Amino acid sequence: REQGFMVGIVLSIVTSVLCALWVAGWIRCRSLANQPVDLGGLGRSSVVLLVTAHPDDEAMFFVPTIVTLLRAQVSLHVLCLSTGGFDGLGSVRPAELRKCCKLLGIPEANVRVVDRPELQDGPNAVWNPSLVADIVAGYAQQICCSTILTFDEGGVSGHPNHIATYHGVKKLVESNRGSQVSAYSLLSKNIVSKYSGPISILFGTRAPGHIFTVNSVLDTVWGAMKAHASQFVWFRRAFVVLSQYSFVNTLVPLVSEPKTR
């Protein structure tokens, strides 16, 4: 009985400390959200293209960057490479994406969803990076875009479609067609940092060349994710509250690796 009492005390202390840190991180986010943001190369771009793999990626992972760019009056476009049909909802989810983007302030005309048999949603689906590069290049040229945002090589969640999206954009940047295109990727975090909510902003350090974007309004992410009604199940609701990506994005230049001779 005494051991159980001590365990309860320890859990109460840990919970209290985490709650206090969460609130402190949120307050810090609010403070940073009201300050000018150094967007680096992004700040010099009038048109930016966000390339995602599935409808709801923009809501789950990129909201801090979306709200920051829109606040800076950047023309933001979203290119989603699949309809998200893994669960048979490919006819529903594109409309949810457009609804989400409208809530965030992205015009429907700036949202494009790709529906091709070679780019189907699923952990076992193999996406050809060359095809991804071709599709992204074509749309980027159409909207006169010189800056692209996407996942990094870890795909944030490790989803193969996210990773394939990164490799496709990287292939474009490495090609001659990408000579006038710059790209930034969303930095994947370890599991502790990933599920630390705004706490990470209290301890994170920014490396040279990295861009931090901040969102201090949880309702913004909640509303964006809620627009994806078919996906708004309990664990995604928990993700919105616990995820660092609801509050902070770290963007890093997508730099081509040196070619071996």
Side-chain angles (χ1 to χ4, degrees), residues 32-152:
L32 291 175
N34 293 322
Q35 297 177 14
V37 180
D38 180 7
L39 289 173
L42 277 177
R44 296 187 290 273
S45 303
S46 58
V47 181
V48 172
L49 175 61
L50 171 61
V51 182
T52 64
H54 315 112
D56 82 3
D57 287 344
E58 81 296 335
M60 292 185 69
F61 307 116
F62 290 95
V63 166
T65 297
I66 290 172
V67 297
T68 300
L69 290 176
L70 292 178
R71 193 182 303 125
Q73 299 185 325
V74 170
S75 177
L76 181 61
H77 292 249
V78 176
L79 176 64
C80 182
L81 294 175
S82 81
T83 61
F86 180 68
D87 293 322
L89 296 170
S91 61
V92 173
R93 297 187 64 189
E96 293 177 342
L97 168 61
R98 294 185 179 94
K99 181 179 179 180
C100 171
C101 287
K102 183 178 180 180
L103 286 172
L104 291 171
I106 303 171
E108 184 174 341
N110 289 15
V111 182
R112 176 73 59 87
V113 179
V114 177
D115 185 7
R116 296 189 56 152
E118 307 97 325
L119 298 176
Q120 293 301 301
D121 174 16
N124 298 317
V126 179
W127 291 8
N128 186 329
S130 295
L131 175 60
V132 171
D134 288 344
I135 292 172
V136 175
Y139 190 64
Q141 184 177 22
Q142 179 183 332
I143 63 174
C144 300
C145 162
S146 60
T147 304
I148 299 172
L149 303 177
T150 193
F151 300 100
D152 71 355

Side-chain angles (χ1 to χ4, degrees), residues 58-252:
E58 81 296 335
M60 292 185 69
F61 307 116
F62 290 95
V63 166
T65 297
I66 290 172
V67 297
T68 300
L69 290 176
L70 292 178
R71 193 182 303 125
Q73 299 185 325
V74 170
S75 177
L76 181 61
H77 292 249
V78 176
L79 176 64
C80 182
L81 294 175
S82 81
T83 61
F86 180 68
D87 293 322
L89 296 170
S91 61
V92 173
R93 297 187 64 189
E96 293 177 342
L97 168 61
R98 294 185 179 94
K99 181 179 179 180
C100 171
C101 287
K102 183 178 180 180
L103 286 172
L104 291 171
I106 303 171
E108 184 174 341
N110 289 15
V111 182
R112 176 73 59 87
V113 179
V114 177
D115 185 7
R116 296 189 56 152
E118 307 97 325
L119 298 176
Q120 293 301 301
D121 174 16
N124 298 317
V126 179
W127 291 8
N128 186 329
S130 295
L131 175 60
V132 171
D134 288 344
I135 292 172
V136 175
Y139 190 64
Q141 184 177 22
Q142 179 183 332
I143 63 174
C144 300
C145 162
S146 60
T147 304
I148 299 172
L149 303 177
T150 193
F151 300 100
D152 71 355
E153 59 187 338
V156 179
S157 66
H159 196 295
N161 299 162
H162 296 181
I163 296 170
T165 300
Y166 159 80
H167 283 293
V169 172
K170 182 171 180 285
K171 191 173 186 67
L172 169 60
V173 173
E174 289 176 336
S175 70
N176 291 332
R177 292 176 301 171
S179 60
Q180 301 301 317
V181 176
S182 62
Y184 291 83
S185 56
L186 179 62
L187 189 64
S188 296
K189 300 288 185 174
N190 64 57
I191 192 167
V192 174
S193 182
K194 180 178 179 179
Y195 291 105
S196 64
I199 296 175
S200 61
I201 203 166
L202 299 173
F203 306 104
T205 57
R206 184 171 69 175
H210 288 194
I211 299 171
F212 275 3
T213 57
V214 176
N215 168 57
S216 62
V217 184
L218 184 59
D219 281 352
T220 301
V221 190
W222 188 269
M225 194 62 226
K226 190 176 180 180
H228 294 276
S230 68
Q231 306 300 302
F232 201 49
V233 293
W234 71 268
F235 58 86
R236 288 195 178 91
R237 298 181 190 207
F239 183 89
V240 167
V241 176
L242 298 176
S243 170
Q244 175 183 154
Y245 296 99
S246 293
F247 302 94
V248 183
N249 284 170
T250 304
L251 305 173
V252 300

